[in-house]
Amino acid sequence: MARRKKIYEGKAKILYEGPEPGTIVQYFKDDATAFNAQKKDVIEGKGVLNNRLSEFFMTGLNNIGVPTHFIKRLNMREQLVRACEIIPLEVIVRNYAAGSLSKRLGIEEGTALPRPIVEYCYKDDKLGDPMVTEEHIAAFGWASQQDMDDVLALALRVNDFLSGVMMAVGIKLVDFKIEIGRVYEGDFQRLVVADEISPDSCRLWDMETGQHLDKDVFRRDLGSLTDAYTEVARRLGVMPKNATQITKPTLIN
Ligand code: UDP
């Protein structure tokens, strides 16, 4: 059997060369990391859930005209995506204070922000993904001013879409992170939402109880991460309950 070419292995995903030029196969691992990989574990079924959830969000975005890299899901753990050149920024959108914003500015977690706040971090694990401003982005040439206008517009559209989808199932979208890629079409380049959108990269709180349904369950040792992600998937109708559990073969009479 021919071995396929691995392009990149990250903390939660592996990228393989796709079947056609300009395509990539994105494989979702079960590995969970936090605090710049200082905390690590393998959470059985996480990759399967994130593959499905990311498919759900990316398909929804494509359907409302927000371009993404997503083409189609291939199987339980893999999806076919368009190859793109990732802008080396984590684009964070916040609706409520939490995490690093709460720490930095001393604002209690859960405080509603007067408007969505967009922040940028430079993607560099060695440096711990430091926060940067548009000044740094322009000065170091990570993205042009035109790119940044488009990035901001995309980030806010993703925020409106995700907030609405989550609100419909009783979940508050506190904040999230996306990555943006460039795809080239002849002489033109277009920006698309890339990477993944899943509870690994969002903060999702139950509207009634405030229960965390995202990676903070792992970061803060709040219980079963699989149960939290399964609950999100169940509410969104993405996956039947227990679909990630591995069952033994049973005898059919
Ligand atoms: N986030 C992410 N990857 C990162 C950093 C942040 O997906 O490397 C997400 C995180 O899950 C949260 C949002 O971005 O939904 C804001 O994270 P924050 O800056 O509060 O950082 P944290 O408290 O997670 O360190």
Side-chain angles (χ1 to χ4, degrees):
M1 206 160 56
R3 201 191 184 112
R4 53 184 177 174
K5 193 170 162 210
K6 194 191 276 189
I7 299 173
Y8 174 80
E9 177 154 5
K11 284 174 275 193
K13 293 188 294 295
I14 306 174
L15 303 183
Y16 295 99
E17 211 164 66
E20 279 158 39
T23 64
I24 282 178
V25 173
Q26 191 165 256
Y27 175 98
F28 287 76
K29 301 196 283 187
D30 279 343
D31 302 39
T33 62
F35 312 118
N36 208 2
Q38 285 170 51
K39 181 175 168 128
K40 283 187 210 170
D41 205 349
V42 176
I43 314 271
E44 200 172 303
K46 179 175 86 83
V48 176
L49 284 155
N50 281 352
N51 185 26
R52 289 277 187 156
L53 283 163
S54 202
E55 171 194 22
F56 176 80
F57 296 126
M58 295 286 187
T59 306
L61 287 168
N62 282 340
N63 287 343
I64 62 159
V66 176
T68 80
H69 72 160
F70 182 82
I71 302 171
K72 65 174 180 181
R73 187 171 58 80
L74 297 171
N75 55 49
M76 295 273 278
R77 288 189 181 272
E78 293 176 331
Q79 48 183 243
L80 187 69
V81 300
R82 288 190 66 170
C84 53
E85 187 184 286
I86 297 284
I87 296 179
L89 297 173
E90 300 204 326
V91 180
I92 293 172
V93 185
R94 302 177 182 274
N95 299 305
Y96 296 86
S100 68
L101 177 112
S102 289
K103 270 204 209 102
R104 220 182 317 129
L105 302 180
I107 302 175
E108 196 187 335
E109 286 211 314
T111 308
L113 300 172
R115 51 176 244 191
I117 294 178
V118 181
E119 296 173 347
Y120 305 105
C121 294
Y122 179 56
K123 265 170 70 74
D124 187 322
D125 284 340
K126 287 195 291 304
L127 300 175
D129 300 338
M131 195 165 131
V132 293
T133 69
E134 290 196 46
E135 282 290 296
H136 302 100
I137 297 166
F140 298 120
W142 297 325
S144 67
Q145 191 52 57
Q146 176 64 55
D147 282 345
M148 290 315 292
D149 291 348
D150 294 347
V151 165
L152 180 64
L154 278 175
L156 293 175
R157 288 192 74 191
V158 173
N159 186 40
D160 285 345
F161 171 77
L162 285 182
S163 296
V165 166
M166 299 315 301
M167 196 186 81
V169 296
I171 294 174
K172 192 147 92 176
L173 177 67
V174 172
D175 58 29
F176 65 93
K177 184 264 308 187
I178 50 171
E179 295 184 21
I180 305 290
R182 298 187 179 96
V183 292
Y184 294 96
E185 283 158 4
D187 288 344
F188 296 94
Q189 71 142 46
R190 212 154 65 92
L191 297 187
V192 299
V193 179
D195 190 49
E196 71 177 281
I197 300 179
S198 75
D200 267 6
S201 50
C202 300
R203 280 200 172 91
L204 305 170
W205 296 359
D206 181 90
M207 274 181 178
E208 299 271 305
T209 64
Q211 188 192 351
H212 294 259
L213 298 170
D214 55 55
K215 207 164 99 177
D216 277 346
V217 171
F218 172 70
R219 293 189 191 99
R220 304 178 186 186
D221 295 317
L222 299 175
S224 159
L225 193 73
T226 323
D227 285 357
Y229 288 19
T230 304
E231 177 60 13
V232 176
R234 189 193 63 76
R235 289 197 201 183
L236 292 168
V238 169
M239 224 170 164
K241 209 168 175 281
N242 299 336
T244 58
Q245 281 179 7
I246 295 157
T247 49
K248 291 202 184 93
T250 48
L251 209 58
I252 299 168
N253 296 315

